[in-house]
Amino acid sequence: MATSKAKQTRGDLVYERLRGDILGGRYLPGDRLKFGALAADCDVSMSVLREALTRLSLEGLVTNEANVGYAVTEISVPRLRELTDARLELEGLVFGRAIGDGDLAWESSVVAAHHQMVGTRYLTGDEPVRVTDDWARAHAAFHRALLEGCANKKLLQLANGLRDEAELYRRWSQPLGQEKNRDLDGEHRRIMELALARDALGAVSALREHISHTTELLVASDIAVDGAVAT
């Protein structure tokens, strides 16, 4: 039992490391993830590495093709639009259920996650300017907190998986939120306040607008050209 627990802990560490490397830019969209090199680099067995890559595949951050192996998911405008369409339907459904199912503890977690996000530095101070890892984590935690009230954990898992996949696009785009006529903090605050007021219709509408707006800004930026990351 102790060995199994230690192995699981090691698998979690490798998963977190590879996820951070992908979102941090060490591995680029489309890069092959070779088992031998990764196992040596992470100093783990093939089984532990396969476990981590399987988890990343379920999140949409890597792909696995027969006779090719694992690779970082390529990003493109058509993929983003398809992903956004799925998120609007599923995330909206789960958020609406969270507002109906959520209790006082859920409300408190939403408020706490929002407070953490607004108090976290948004952009890096070096070049190229990117969203800080701390803010990205706080932002993800806030959106997860919004959905956590949903009693159907299968729906919740699927919705969070789509959000994880969308993170790859946000990390590879130009920083968003400082565009003219956009108040990113205000969008998040409005979603939270409507949720706490138990206005499911208004809150879901605000979340859908928030997701759609971000997608259109990403499409208008330099996320991808013909399926490849733009320079």
Side-chain angles (χ1 to χ4, degrees), residues 143-160:
H143 276 276
R144 281 180 176 272
L146 291 174
L147 306 183
E148 278 294 328
C150 177
N152 188 317
K153 298 309 176 186
K154 186 61 177 179
L155 284 175
L156 178 62
Q157 180 183 25
L158 292 171
N160 280 328

Side-chain angles (χ1 to χ4, degrees), residues 6 28 64 83 105 108 114 116 131 134 152 164 167 173 181 220 228 230:
L28 307 180
N64 183 21
L83 175 59
S108 298
H114 180 263
Q116 181 70 34
V131 172
D134 287 343
N152 188 317
D164 288 337
E167 183 68 16
S173 72
N181 300 324

Side-chain angles (χ1 to χ4, degrees), residues 33-158:
L33 299 172
K34 299 179 180 179
F35 262 80
L38 283 177
D41 188 35
C42 297
D43 190 25
V44 293
S45 67
M46 292 293 187
S47 62
V48 171
L49 181 59
R50 186 174 290 106
E51 173 192 326
L53 289 172
T54 297
R55 290 175 64 182
L56 292 169
S57 178
L58 291 173
E59 290 183 4
L61 295 180
V62 305
T63 57
N64 183 21
E65 297 183 25
N67 303 318
V68 175
Y70 288 94
V72 179
T73 300
E74 295 186 3
I75 62 177
S76 68
V77 170
R79 288 179 189 227
L80 175 59
R81 290 204 180 281
E82 183 177 60
L83 175 59
T84 299
D85 182 48
R87 286 186 63 202
L88 290 175
E89 295 301 321
L90 186 54
E91 207 165 325
L93 170 65
V94 172
F95 187 33
R97 290 200 177 195
I99 293 170
D101 298 339
D103 55 13
L104 182 60
W106 169 72
E107 291 185 6
S108 298
S109 70
V110 169
V111 173
H114 180 263
H115 182 72
Q116 181 70 34
M117 180 179 62
V118 297
T120 302
R121 184 178 180 183
Y122 179 55
L123 298 178
T124 60
D126 52 356
E127 294 291 341
V129 175
R130 293 241 174 226
V131 172
T132 66
D133 289 343
D134 287 343
W135 190 89
R137 283 190 289 268
H139 178 247
F142 170 68
H143 276 276
R144 281 180 176 272
L146 291 174
L147 306 183
E148 278 294 328
C150 177
N152 188 317
K153 298 309 176 186
K154 186 61 177 179
L155 284 175
L156 178 62
Q157 180 183 25
L158 292 171

Side-chain angles (χ1 to χ4, degrees), residues 175-227:
L176 302 179
Q178 297 185 323
E179 296 79 15
K180 194 173 183 179
N181 300 324
R182 188 182 196 192
D183 179 6
L184 187 59
D185 285 343
E187 289 178 25
H188 287 132
R189 189 181 311 108
R190 179 167 177 258
I191 293 169
M192 177 187 69
E193 290 175 347
L194 287 168
L196 296 179
R198 303 291 175 158
D199 181 354
L201 186 62
V204 170
S205 177
L207 178 66
R208 288 172 61 92
E209 289 174 11
H210 175 68
I211 294 171
S212 297
H213 193 174
T214 298
T215 292
E216 293 310 312
L217 289 171
L218 289 173
V219 169
S221 72
D222 60 353
I223 61 162
V225 176
D226 295 331

